[in-house]
Amino acid sequence: MFSASACFRFLAGLALALFAASAQAVALPGAFTDALRQAGIPLDHVAVVVQPVDGGAPLLSHNAEAALNPASVMKLVTSFAALDLLGPDFGWTTDVWADGPLADGVLHGNLVIKGHGDPGLTLERMWLLQRDLRARGIRRIEGALVLDPSAFELPEADPGAFDGEPLALYNATPGALVANYNATTLRLKPDGQQVGVAPDIALPGVELVSQLAIDERAPCNGWKEAIEPTAPPDGRPGVVLSGPYPRSCGEQTIALNLFGPAATFDRIFRGLWAEGGGTLTGATVEGGAPDGPPLLQFASEPLTVALTRMNKYSNNLMARNLFLTLGAAAYGPPATPDKGARAVRAALGRHGIPTRKLVLENGSGLSRIERISADALNRVLLAAYRSAWFAEFESALPVAALDGTLKRRFNGSALAGTAHLKTGTLRDVSALAGYVDGADGRRVSFVMLVNHANARRSEPAQRALLEWIEAGGRQAGGGADGIR
């Protein structure tokens, strides 16, 4: 039984907590809460933290401890851990062995390639890798192409499990050997009443079928979303493209996730090798790398370049490969998702960032289960600001109205060029986090997470809150104190 005094203290404490919560809600800018109301998003489905990076208490803090899905804003956490553990100059290698005698430009044996997860092996860099092989005297390969993906140990994964879109590039699965973000690029070109489809790189044995219907009147808006790619009905590797295609679009390209990482790597390597005049007579097989030093260790671009591509354009495959790389760097190969999660948690722990509510699946935010609180995200931003590599961290983020996923947002606003923010969008999730410079020159960290069926309607609220910050916090309604 409670004593009378204990009951009084409990009720007084409860009243104080409710008053504080009420005062906190009142402190939110009126334009922000009005925008949420118009969008049909209740305040208890929103978390916000705004805090000066140079110290002091948060200027706004609402629902900050709630564990919410951050969508691609989770890439901030992976980026922070990567810079902390690996450093800005970290690089991957792709190792190549000539497993047999080499004479007069002919390799009488297998070419063996082992990847370590380089997420930035684009077509251009694959061409440079092959150029380095030719510089070492290889023109003709009379054995097999042996691919060694053993640096990553991954469970079987269905690329369509997330949302039933297995051919969407954002669903590409990670791999120790990944080329061109696992994208197969197809060129579409109207020809009379047909739309021709051709691969950017030759794809022998791959079935490409166009059932696209020419639309004579439609403007070239949203044409990619109108195309429906499906697997061929005969089970052969390839794709069938159907749907309307505006003639006004002319020639366009579309990138799809048609194959697993190793299969895509194989097709791109062979296609580029043939384009360069080389020959490769054997089959492609999976196998282990031989003992001894490789003929070539092809170095990636530095981590900072990977982070810029990953965050500016929200590349999920790059984030997933980086997440796995962290696990291997911290706990030894082979990389696994569990090691990656442990490495990220350890990095946050070293900076006193709470991880009790952190849920990690792949580090990219392409997940229904990943969770983090706005408070923890804000602490990541503040810890990054205090670090020696803050310039690299911030410069990798999209800039409002200028580039990346923010290029077409906040145009015509004073926010243009003043905010570095990572975006995040999933069904029922909209998130934004990063740094904002106010008109008075003061910089703040910013986190806003929305988990609600109407989350996609939260952009006006995001804009209202950011404009309040940019203006110095003096345009608040409902009693907000503003930024001082």
Side-chain angles (χ1 to χ4, degrees):
M1 296 290 292
F2 284 107
S3 67
S5 60
C7 277
F8 177 81
R9 288 194 300 272
F10 172 78
L11 292 173
L14 179 61
L16 183 61
L18 291 173
F19 174 81
S22 174
Q24 185 184 72
V26 167
L28 294 172
F32 170 68
T33 55
D34 287 347
L36 287 175
R37 191 178 303 112
Q38 291 172 14
I41 301 173
L43 271 175
D44 59 359
H45 288 257
V46 180
V48 171
V49 177
V50 178
Q51 185 167 2
V53 296
D54 54 2
L59 303 166
L60 294 176
S61 180
H62 170 74
N63 214 18
E65 297 296 332
L68 300 178
N69 189 326
S72 281
V73 167
M74 187 63 87
K75 293 180 176 71
L76 290 177
V77 177
T78 303
S79 299
F80 176 89
L83 286 166
D84 183 70
L85 177 61
L86 305 175
D89 291 334
F90 172 82
W92 292 261
T93 64
T94 301
D95 302 337
V96 186
W97 287 261
D99 194 16
L102 176 61
D104 299 324
V106 179
L107 171 60
H108 298 278
N110 299 331
L111 189 76
V112 184
I113 305 178
K114 181 173 183 175
H116 297 275
D118 180 1
L121 199 56
T122 60
L123 290 180
E124 295 81 4
R125 294 198 59 76
M126 183 77 95
W127 181 87
L128 289 173
L129 183 155
Q130 294 190 353
R131 182 176 180 272
D132 283 355
L133 286 177
R134 291 188 178 92
R136 286 161 173 77
I138 300 178
R139 297 288 189 278
R140 178 180 176 86
I141 302 165
E142 293 197 338
L145 178 62
V146 181
L147 303 181
D148 182 352
S150 62
F152 285 5
E153 187 175 283
L154 303 172
E156 288 292 327
D158 173 9
F162 180 74
D163 60 359
E165 298 288 344
L167 304 185
L169 199 54
Y170 60 79
N171 274 326
T173 53
L177 275 168
V178 174
N180 201 40
Y181 315 122
N182 211 52
T184 298
T185 303
L186 305 177
R187 295 191 174 276
L188 309 179
K189 185 177 181 179
D191 182 9
Q193 294 303 308
Q194 307 297 318
V195 180
V197 55
D200 200 36
I201 296 174
L203 296 172
V206 175
E207 185 175 0
L208 303 176
V209 179
S210 173
Q211 296 178 352
L212 297 170
I214 288 286
D215 189 327
E216 299 287 358
R217 298 183 179 181
C220 191
N221 295 325
W223 64 271
K224 285 187 180 180
E225 289 73 18
I227 291 179
E228 297 182 17
T230 56
D234 57 9
R236 293 179 59 194
V239 65
V240 178
L241 301 178
S242 58
Y245 187 84
R247 187 181 294 280
S248 59
C249 287
E251 185 173 347
Q252 298 285 349
T253 62
I254 186 169
L256 297 172
N257 174 45
L258 294 187
F259 315 107
T264 302
F265 184 97
D266 170 41
R267 287 180 167 91
I268 289 176
F269 186 93
R270 287 176 175 273
L272 289 178
W273 189 252
E275 284 182 9
T279 58
L280 202 171
T281 61
T284 299
V285 297
E286 183 176 316
D291 295 331
L295 173 70
L296 168 65
Q297 280 196 306
F298 184 74
S300 73
E301 294 176 308
L303 175 64
T304 50
V305 175
L307 291 181
T308 298
R309 291 175 177 164
M310 180 182 93
N311 288 320
K312 292 278 190 186
Y313 302 100
S314 210
N315 189 300
N316 293 317
L317 184 145
M318 295 186 79
R320 296 174 74 172
N321 261 36
L322 179 57
F323 182 76
L324 290 160
T325 299
L326 290 172
Y331 304 107
T336 66
D338 177 68
K339 289 179 183 178
R342 287 162 53 198
V344 171
R345 287 178 173 277
L348 268 57
R350 285 192 292 272
H351 292 267
I353 300 168
T355 60
R356 182 172 57 88
K357 296 181 179 180
L358 178 66
V359 179
L360 292 165
E361 182 179 20
N362 55 46
S364 74
L366 188 73
S367 169
R368 301 295 181 200
I369 67 170
E370 289 198 325
R371 295 289 186 275
I372 193 169
S373 69
D375 171 68
L377 266 174
N378 182 60
R379 295 195 193 197
V380 167
L381 293 170
L382 295 179
Y385 179 78
R386 295 189 294 266
S387 73
W389 33 258
F390 173 65
E392 289 81 359
F393 183 84
E394 183 188 44
S395 64
L397 303 182
V399 183
L402 293 184
D403 67 8
T405 55
L406 287 180
K407 187 172 184 177
R408 293 178 174 82
R409 290 183 60 183
F410 308 119
N411 288 300
S413 165
L415 293 166
T418 69
H420 291 72
L421 299 164
K422 181 71 196 77
T423 58
T425 304
L426 291 175
R427 186 191 68 229
D428 301 343
V429 179
S430 181
L432 204 58
Y435 305 96
V436 185
D437 293 330
D440 56 3
R442 193 174 192 185
R443 173 170 291 183
V444 301
S445 59
F446 171 90
V447 179
M448 178 177 165
L449 307 177
V450 180
N451 283 192
H452 188 267
N454 293 336
R456 287 181 180 268
R457 299 171 59 186
S458 65
E459 282 193 22
Q462 291 174 348
R463 182 171 182 137
L465 189 54
L466 288 165
E467 288 180 343
W468 175 80
I469 295 168
E470 194 281 331
R474 289 182 290 273
Q475 298 178 356
D481 292 329
I483 301 174
R484 293 190 292 268

